[in-house]
Amino acid sequence: MERILFGDNQFFGVNHMSEEKARAQAIKFQDINAVIDVLDAAYDEGIKVFMCTTHERIGEVCEHMRANPQRYQDYQFYPCMPYAHKYANAVTELGILEALKGFLPEQGAFNAMVKGGMALANKDVEAIGQLLIDAEMKMFQDLQTPVIFLQNVVTDLLLGLGFKEALRIFADHVKNKYNAEPGFITMNMPKLLDVLEELGIDNPIVCSNINKIGFRMCGGVEAYESAIATRKFRPVAMSVFASGAIAPKEALEYVCTQKKIESIVFGASGRGNIRQTKQLIEQLLPAE
């Protein structure tokens, strides 16, 4: 994995501390060209990975990248799926099968739908899961996606329900069909590591909140520090600034003392903040 990843929360009005800031960001990035400008700024600063949700507007970003292959020839996406709201809305409006049909890749869509119908009838969870993954990956066709993440809204729901096998289904399909490494986003990293170890998923990529004040870290700071120091996995740190509650240098000094952290994901709205954060991470994160 790349050591510095660029996230997308700022583009969709996500700020866990301030609704006012979230609204301002949502307004600022209504125009997709504003999003592209920030991604270009990050890219020109040397950040070549976009860790993004499968929000519908990311499809417009993907179209732009495909239309400019020379400019973005070494650009990578780390998709994070699913974007739950679009499924909830589509199922409400169209029903399960029609919603699936709308998200499925065009090629072989009819056969996939037949398979989907049989899967639903037979309660074939694995087949349904594979179709949903394929639906989410549709927008990234012909782009580089070496790591594909399961969003925490699903990861943690599966943990809570005890439906561990679904995590294996995700991991296997991502490897077999997309030749990518599966990643898991969670708000309960210690618990997830126990389950992934039980499933035989070796040295997994796990993205979780890691910050010095324990912001959205289920189990607490000490449990996370212990897991990072002693467990076999590849940690990706997100929410390192705790949505602005910790000053950048202080936040990154803490995260970068956790020696086994492989990557840090952050979002920013302007070139100055992107450059400053990247420089701080490079100064503080131990070299490989």
Side-chain angles (χ1 to χ4, degrees):
M1 289 188 300
E2 292 290 327
R3 296 171 73 74
I4 303 176
L5 317 176
F6 198 67
D8 72 348
N9 273 357
Q10 68 279 3
F11 298 140
F12 304 119
V14 177
N15 187 298
H16 300 294
M17 287 292 197
S18 171
E19 290 186 10
E20 183 178 348
K21 288 183 180 179
R23 283 194 297 271
Q25 288 175 334
I27 293 170
K28 177 179 180 179
F29 292 111
Q30 283 180 332
D31 183 350
I32 197 64
N33 290 318
V35 175
I36 298 296
D37 287 345
V38 173
L39 292 177
D40 281 349
Y43 184 73
D44 293 340
E45 292 295 330
I47 302 174
K48 300 179 179 181
V49 177
F50 185 29
M51 184 172 171
C52 56
T53 61
T54 52
H55 189 286
E56 293 92 334
R57 297 189 68 215
I58 294 298
E60 298 177 65
V61 174
C62 292
E63 289 174 8
H64 175 80
M65 302 301 186
R66 276 192 294 267
N68 297 275
Q70 291 301 116
R71 163 73 161 140
Y72 305 107
Q73 58 184 325
D74 57 351
Y75 202 74
Q76 296 180 347
F77 289 83
Y78 287 4
C80 306
M81 62 178 65
Y83 189 72
H85 293 294
K86 67 181 178 184
Y87 281 103
N89 292 340
V91 169
T92 299
E93 293 176 11
L94 303 171
I96 293 176
L97 288 179
E98 287 300 313
L100 279 176
K101 184 177 181 181
F103 291 122
L104 288 172
E106 291 181 10
Q107 185 176 9
F110 178 77
N111 289 336
M113 278 306 300
V114 171
K115 179 183 177 184
M118 293 174 61
L120 289 170
N122 296 325
K123 297 185 179 180
D124 186 340
V125 174
E126 184 160 5
I128 296 170
Q130 291 172 352
L131 288 179
L132 290 172
I133 293 166
D134 294 342
E136 293 290 275
M137 288 300 295
K138 178 181 177 182
M139 69 177 69
F140 300 99
Q141 185 174 353
D142 300 324
L143 298 171
Q144 297 182 62
T145 56
V147 182
I148 301 171
F149 283 91
L150 188 65
Q151 277 279 30
N152 59 281
V153 67
V154 174
T155 301
D156 293 341
L157 176 63
L158 295 172
L159 286 178
L161 294 174
F163 189 12
K164 305 170 186 178
E165 184 64 14
L167 300 174
R168 183 200 60 78
I169 291 169
F170 172 79
D172 288 350
H173 192 59
V174 162
K175 290 178 184 176
N176 296 334
K177 182 160 185 177
Y178 298 99
N179 193 31
E181 291 200 76
F184 302 89
I185 305 175
T186 183
M187 297 294 144
N188 192 340
M189 179 241 285
K191 174 65 174 177
L192 177 63
L193 291 177
D194 291 340
V195 171
L196 296 180
E197 183 177 335
E198 179 184 334
L199 291 170
I201 298 176
D202 185 54
N203 197 25
I205 298 169
V206 175
C207 179
S208 62
N209 287 9
I210 300 175
N211 53 75
K212 69 182 298 181
I213 64 173
F215 175 66
R216 303 183 81 200
M217 295 167 61
C218 185
V221 172
E222 291 184 4
Y224 276 58
E225 290 177 348
S226 176
I228 293 167
T230 63
R231 305 290 293 269
K232 184 183 178 184
F233 75 111
R234 288 168 285 171
V236 178
M238 66 178 182
S239 289
V240 296
F241 306 118
S243 285
I246 314 172
K249 189 171 189 296
E250 179 185 3
L252 289 170
E253 283 177 340
Y254 170 77
V255 171
C256 291
T257 60
Q258 314 302 312
K259 302 297 184 183
K260 292 185 180 179
I261 289 176
E262 293 205 3
S263 302
I264 294 174
V265 57
F266 75 96
S269 300
R271 185 183 294 270
N273 285 339
I274 292 169
R275 179 184 294 126
Q276 179 189 42
T277 303
K278 179 175 182 286
Q279 289 175 347
L280 277 172
I281 293 172
E282 290 175 336
Q283 290 168 13
L284 296 167
L285 194 64
E288 292 180 296

